[in-house]
Amino acid sequence: MSLIHRCATALAVLCALPAAAQAAQPETYGFDPVHTRVMFAISHAGFSQAIGTVSGSAGTLSFDRDDWRGAKLEVQVPLTRLDLGDGKWNKAALAANLLDGKRYPLARFVSERVEPVAGEADRAQVCGQLTLHGVTAPLCLDVKLNQLKRHPLPPFHRTAGFSATARLSRAAFGIDAWKSVIGDEVELRIEAEAIRDKYVGDQPKTNPGDAAAAPEEPVESTEPTDPAKPQPEPSR
C-alpha cells in the first residue's frame, strides 16, 4: 500500500470518528403524562391490598438502548392526582397525617446508577433517590424495556415504553399514621411511555384545585389506641 493510500485511509477513519461518537450519544425523551402512570398497592387492615393510581407524571430520560449504564432519569409524580376510587378516601390519603398533599404535592425520583441485568438485554435495575413527604431515601426500580421504535400513529414520534416495579416502606418516609389499619410496605408498579424530544422539561399535570385536594381539616391524626373504641374509617 502506497504512502498516499495509507494517509487517505487514515484520514477517512479520522473523519468518521466524530459521526460515530455522535451516533452513540444518548437520546433525550420526555414522559407522556397520559400514558405514564404509577400504581400502588398497600394492605388495608389485612383484608385486601388497596390499589390506587397516580397519573400526570413529568420528567426527562436520557437513554441509549445499547448502553443502559449511561441512562439518566428524573421524574416528578403529582400526588394530588392520586385516585383510590373514592373522593373521601382520596382526601384522607392526602391529609396532613398521611401524604400531606398540601405541603408535599410532588414525589421526585432521580437516578444515580443503572445496572443492566446479565443475560437480559431489555432489563436493568435503576437505583436513585426518591423524595417523598419531605424525606429523601434510596430506592431501586426493576425496569423492563417493552419497546423502542417509531409510534404507529401520527405524528410517528420515536417512543420508548417501560414497565417497572419497586417496594418501599412508608414509615421510612415519615408516613406512619394508622399502623393498625394501613400496612407499611407499599408495592409500586409503573407503566411509562417516553417520547423522543417531546415533553422534555414539562411540569407535572395537575387538576384545577388540587391540594387544595388535601382537606383543610384532616382526618384524625392518631391511630386508635383503645381497641374497644376504634375510630371510624372515612364514611362511604
Side-chain angles (χ1 to χ4, degrees):
M1 180 182 292
S2 68
L3 178 61
I4 294 176
H5 191 187
R6 287 198 299 269
C7 289
T9 301
L11 182 60
V13 171
L14 288 173
C15 290
L17 284 176
Q22 183 177 6
Q25 291 298 313
E27 298 175 327
T28 301
Y29 296 79
F31 286 98
D32 179 344
V34 175
H35 296 103
T36 299
R37 183 162 293 199
V38 178
M39 187 200 82
F40 61 91
I42 189 167
S43 174
H44 175 230
F47 295 112
S48 68
Q49 293 291 307
I51 295 174
T53 62
V54 184
S55 60
S57 296
T60 301
L61 171 68
S62 177
F63 180 67
D64 174 6
R65 183 174 190 166
D66 296 325
D67 183 15
W68 279 73
R69 294 181 189 277
K72 295 182 180 179
L73 166 66
E74 180 175 351
V75 63
Q76 296 185 85
V77 181
L79 299 179
T80 52
R81 289 181 63 104
L82 171 151
D83 183 14
L84 284 161
D86 179 83
K88 291 182 178 179
W89 271 104
N90 295 346
K91 288 185 177 181
L94 289 166
N97 63 319
L98 289 174
L99 290 173
D100 198 353
K102 191 169 186 179
R103 283 202 296 167
Y104 308 111
L106 297 174
R108 180 172 177 258
F109 179 79
V110 180
S111 67
E112 295 179 324
R113 62 182 175 86
V114 179
E115 296 291 341
V117 175
E120 299 190 54
D122 290 336
R123 290 185 180 271
Q125 186 176 67
V126 180
C127 296
Q129 297 293 321
L130 173 66
T131 300
L132 172 66
H133 195 251
V135 176
T136 300
L139 179 71
C140 287
L141 304 169
D142 293 316
V143 179
K144 178 181 181 293
L145 173 64
N146 298 319
Q147 196 157 242
L148 176 59
K149 67 176 187 179
R150 190 183 78 158
H151 198 284
L153 297 176
F156 308 113
H157 288 295
R158 185 168 170 83
T159 302
F162 299 89
S163 297
T165 58
R167 293 178 184 272
L168 61 86
S169 161
R170 68 183 181 100
F173 293 88
I175 309 170
D176 55 6
W178 292 90
K179 294 178 182 178
S180 64
V181 178
I182 304 173
D184 179 60
E185 184 178 76
V186 182
E187 178 186 353
L188 298 177
R189 174 179 168 180
I190 301 159
E191 297 293 330
E193 292 186 19
I195 315 299
R196 187 175 65 181
D197 298 328
K198 188 177 181 182
Y199 302 115
V200 176
D202 283 4
Q203 294 300 306
K205 301 294 184 181
T206 58
N207 290 326
D210 277 349
E216 292 296 330
E217 297 183 2
V219 297
E220 295 292 335
S221 61
T222 58
E223 65 179 37
T225 56
D226 181 357
K229 297 180 179 180
Q231 298 178 13
E233 295 180 341
S235 60
R236 293 174 175 79

